[in-house]
Amino acid sequence: MVAKKLRTVAVLTSGGDAPGMNAAIRAVVRTALGNGLNVRGIRRGYEGLLAEDIIDLSARDVSDTIQRGGTILYTARCPEMFQKEGVQEAAAIIKKYEIDGLVVIGGDGSYRGALALSKLGVNVIGIPGTIDLDIPCTEYTIGFDTAVNTAMEAIDKIRDTSTSHERCSIIEVMGRGAGYLALWCGIGNGAEKILMPEEQDFNEAAIIDDIAECRKRGKKNYIIINAESIGDSTNMAKRIEKATGISTRATILGHMQRGGSPTCRDRVYASTMGAFAVKVLLEGRRNRIICYNKGEFMDMDIDEALNATKPFPDFQYKIAQDLAL
Ligand code: ADP
């Protein structure tokens, strides 16, 4: 089969937003325009695709966006894509708008939507965008670096006041399904304990004993980083305070972790991935996910990407525990 000539590419962001998505959009737009292609932006992910919320994008439309968090294309979750009819309708709209390549910036869920579209003949390219780092096919995802630095800085501030008042602090970070943010903050902020979904041996009684022990050894504060999946931080703080007699506060960092100006790393990697995605399309490759592994940017078949596994770095969890002496 002779491949159809590439004339028009479209880009959308889907699922949870992540700082650096704008840098990726900008790179897709400008690389495509620089290669003589037309570029369309689909607003609000697959939901906007089904609503035909599709705009032309020029080089100026992405001016002044590289430093902005969030996504200028907005994002959404779209339950219709779980139904065959929804995917068929989406594929028909892509055909109607003569879109030859669809760049999807999002996480694993968004790739599953893209895979479903690819089975109906749409050429899809995925770019990993999530603050959770929980995409198995890649060691890097757009937004994690910014989010983990945002959380780290917030936790440093909490640590200052926690030390002044000789408190115990539970700080809840995002990561319902994956504990990378908790692990990195645990190490980067020198926490005494990290609670996260990958380490289910959580034992509150042992933590209470450890807090009392640490106090005897002269520790002025005690930081617990809690990935949002593990219990209720506010109630845990009340129980710890009651059992130890040590003032304990819970802080839930929440959505602040999603926002903010992307770090340099997120801007550079997102820009590289956006440009790489268009290069893959120009070279005629189909249905690929852009990844970063072992120091290199690469592309991988979407099926292979969705079946990839990424072992959790248990050795780093052990290091965090060892360093909390
Ligand atoms: P993320 O891309 O961040 O993992 P979600 O899991 O919420 O975010 O997925 C984003 C969107 O991708 C969903 O709202 C849905 O429209 C689409 N999607 C997710 N899983 C599937 C699937 N199995 N089949 C088709 N579309 C899917």
Side-chain angles (χ1 to χ4, degrees), residues 5-213:
K5 192 169 167 12
L6 183 73
R7 286 206 181 83
T8 302
V9 302
V11 54
L12 60 78
T13 47
S14 167
D17 68 334
M21 281 181 162
N22 287 329
I25 296 167
R26 173 178 174 272
V28 169
V29 171
R30 293 198 173 169
T31 309
L33 290 172
N35 283 280
L37 305 175
N38 304 313
V39 191
R40 297 205 147 124
I42 300 170
R43 294 197 286 203
R44 300 183 181 81
Y46 296 124
E47 186 186 285
L49 175 59
L50 289 173
E52 300 187 40
D53 191 355
I54 299 172
I55 53 172
D56 288 329
L57 287 175
S58 71
R60 292 290 73 76
D61 290 324
V62 289
S63 292
D64 216 12
T65 60
I66 196 163
Q67 79 286 9
R68 282 165 58 188
T71 159
I72 56 163
L73 288 176
Y74 305 101
T75 184
R77 296 204 159 83
C78 174
E80 287 91 334
M81 284 294 284
F82 292 99
Q83 309 299 328
K84 206 168 75 191
E85 296 73 23
V87 179
Q88 281 168 345
E89 198 184 329
I93 293 167
I94 286 171
K95 199 166 169 208
K96 175 173 152 190
Y97 282 81
E98 299 182 327
I99 292 164
D100 307 311
L102 175 67
V103 179
V104 173
I105 307 170
D108 258 14
S110 302
Y111 297 168
R112 283 182 212 289
L115 177 69
L117 287 170
S118 75
K119 295 201 167 132
L120 298 180
V122 179
N123 188 12
V124 292
I125 308 290
I127 295 181
T130 167
I131 64 162
D132 292 326
L133 198 66
D134 61 345
I135 302 181
C137 67
T138 179
E139 291 165 14
Y140 167 83
T141 65
I142 295 170
F144 175 75
D145 191 57
T146 305
V148 82
N149 277 290
T150 300
M152 183 193 74
E153 284 170 20
I155 295 166
D156 280 346
K157 293 183 172 91
I158 295 165
R159 176 191 271 274
D160 286 346
T161 174
S162 191
T163 304
S164 305
H165 289 270
E166 298 179 63
R167 268 186 193 136
C168 170
S169 292
I170 305 176
I171 298 143
E172 192 170 305
V173 298
M174 283 195 166
R176 185 167 290 122
Y180 292 100
L181 272 170
L183 176 68
W184 278 58
C185 288
I187 298 175
N189 291 101
E192 275 66 33
K193 277 279 172 283
I194 308 171
L195 313 181
M196 56 191 193
E198 291 81 358
E199 301 291 336
Q200 289 293 357
D201 60 345
F202 161 55
N203 177 343
E204 196 169 299
I207 293 175
I208 287 168
D209 289 347
D210 194 47
I211 293 170
E213 262 309 301

